[in-house]
Amino acid sequence: MSKIKCKCGHENPFGTVLCEQCGRPQTEEAKKSKLIDMRYEGSARRSQTYKRSIVDKIWNFFSSVKVGINIIVAVLATSAIGTIFPQKLFVPAVTEADILAYYEKHYNFAGTLYYKLGFYDMYNSWWFITLIGMLGTSIIIASIDRVVPLYKSLKKQRTKRHTSFLKRQRIYGEGLVADSGSSLAKAEEKLKDLRYNVKVEEGALLAEKGRFSRWGPYVNHTGLIIFLLGVLLRGLPGFYVDESLWLREGETRSVPGAPGYYLKNNQFLIETYSKEDDAEYGQAIDRVGTIVKNYQSDVTLYKNAEGGLPGQSDQMEFVKDYSIIVNKPLNFDGFNIFQMDYRLDELKSMTFQLTEKATNKSFGEFTVDLHNPERLYELSEGAIVELKDYYPDYDGMENGEPITKSPIPNNPAFIFKMATPAKPDGEMSFVAIRQTLDTEVNEYKVNFVSAETRDITGLIVRKDKTLYILLLGGIIFMIGVTQGSYWNHRRIWIQKGEGNELVLAGHTNKNWFGLKKDLDKVKDVAKLPQYEDRQDVETSTDEMKGDKL
């Protein structure tokens, strides 16, 4: 792109609106306008200069404020959709089939559609993460596209400006004074008292203060970028863990998200209010029944021994015993395990008895572990019971076959094969709670004797290395908000004309009342010419909007 040569001899980059040297308008639009556009000091932005290569087109796309706003709207819209129904993390299911069944059961067709469209795991989906990445890219490119020319123009701004620049400022005045040199000196002294940075050269004065407020929006953007980086880092292993862990009494399981660590549930305790000991809860207990006072899990934490194979119980090292109570989590190696939920009286095992129907003779009892059942059970007098099939959560028949809703033993059912010396080929029997079906007329039967239950504790495993990154981003964002909201960039130009004539102009990115108040104080002391506020609502509004980009 060819450069634009100003009448003062300075060569400006293509796309420059105001000459970097003297401030003369360089475009026809700027020359015709009553007030000049002071966004980015009229400097050329890269998106306005380079438009040929694919890199230029990508840059120009992401530097557009309209594109950035559309991306923000898309992120907000998808985030809102993700709150319509519970996310995958809060669904009491593990497998994809169980998760789908949950949405179908509780939300009917809408829930099924929600699952099919992938909204059930919204914030971990590739396209939501892509939107966050696009938003971060837009903020970075839009900021660089504007902050670089703004920084260069403010750093290199000249004290003496061409009259055409001054006449196109919103605050402008000119007139004769008794002694222009004395007025300029008094104005310099007063402006310094008002804490302006003052430069004087060749009969021209530039007073400036609050320039740092111009960087407020870009400090905002820096905070947002850091915050979005923290959000994206949550998708990387090791930075963020938020997993659920259901642990039965006596059970030892690996801690999800914490490789090498294992947790054993020694005992689950629950304490309720009683009418005798807690009289103030008497009416509430009568109204709602049991009221839980406290529940906790007494656990033992283990880790893999050095050189040991993962999961080998005899090679695990003891770490510590701990009682996990609500709001009193177990802490280790940056992880926190919280007490969140519980289930009482889950079936652990069921005991059965094999008997002969005609004589009611017993061949003994056998116990089926509902979580790890054995296949064969040897009884007295050579009798054998074989577990052919097991349905933990029996839900009736489908196409003539029993089906189970889940792997949790809520309603266990079994198909047993019973073999005795008198019946070596065996007999088949289907046994469920309050139901026994024989495929043929059997001589033997399996009777239910007893059941053993145990409690389950619901724990949440959390680790968040991004928390401080998110906090840092939030703090920087608020610094930018404060910086851009409570300060403003004010500039006053005073230049000698012919004889004792003085030209006065002023500009601020906001709070014009404050600028005029300062000007009035200087004008009264230095006997400056009267100025006028040539407010152009549309132009001044555009300037303020642009300065916030």
Side-chain angles (χ1 to χ4, degrees), residues 244-315:
S244 59
L245 173 62
W246 288 94
L247 202 58
R248 298 173 176 86
E249 286 182 316
E251 185 179 28
T252 302
R253 293 184 60 187
S254 61
V255 179
Y261 284 95
Y262 300 84
L263 198 66
K264 180 181 180 181
N265 181 5
N266 299 313
Q267 185 181 20
F268 178 78
L269 300 174
I270 185 167
E271 183 181 2
T272 60
Y273 289 101
S274 65
K275 296 174 65 175
E276 293 77 14
D277 299 332
D278 304 281
E280 65 272 21
Y281 291 94
Q283 293 183 354
I285 293 173
D286 290 337
R287 186 173 62 255
V288 301
T290 302
I291 300 178
V292 176
K293 186 176 184 179
N294 175 55
Y295 58 94
Q296 70 181 56
S297 302
D298 294 335
V299 300
T300 301
L301 180 67
Y302 299 94
K303 69 176 181 179
N304 280 333
E306 291 187 13
L309 296 177
Q312 287 189 346
S313 58
D314 58 338
Q315 296 186 10

Side-chain angles (χ1 to χ4, degrees), residues 414-463:
F414 314 86
I415 295 179
F416 292 116
K417 182 179 180 181
M418 306 164 290
T420 64
K423 283 279 188 177
D425 293 334
E427 298 175 337
M428 303 294 290
S429 178
F430 175 81
V431 179
I433 295 177
R434 297 181 181 178
Q435 184 179 5
T436 300
L437 299 175
D438 295 334
T439 57
E440 56 188 21
V441 179
N442 293 334
E443 296 181 11
Y444 301 91
K445 64 178 180 178
V446 172
N447 297 324
F448 170 75
V449 176
S450 63
E452 182 182 357
T453 62
R454 59 182 172 180
D455 300 330
I456 311 174
T457 181
L459 306 172
I460 294 293
V461 183
R462 285 181 180 159
K463 181 179 182 179

Side-chain angles (χ1 to χ4, degrees), residues 45-63:
R45 289 158 43 199
R46 190 189 189 285
S47 59
Q48 298 172 329
T49 307
Y50 303 100
K51 301 183 179 181
R52 292 183 178 179
S53 68
I54 184 65
V55 174
D56 298 335
K57 293 179 180 179
I58 294 174
W59 182 276
N60 296 344
F61 174 80
F62 283 107
S63 67

Side-chain angles (χ1 to χ4, degrees), residues 157 159 187-200 204-212 488-493 518:
Q157 64 177 327
T159 303
E188 177 183 0
E189 182 179 356
K190 184 61 178 178
L191 286 167
K192 286 181 179 179
D193 290 342
L194 295 174
R195 298 183 179 179
Y196 279 81
N197 294 318
V198 181
K199 292 193 298 182
V200 179
L205 177 149
L206 168 61
E208 180 182 23
K209 76 173 179 179
R211 182 193 293 186
F212 73 97
N488 48 81
H489 184 206
R490 302 178 186 178
R491 280 174 292 177
I492 298 172
W493 295 271
D518 287 348

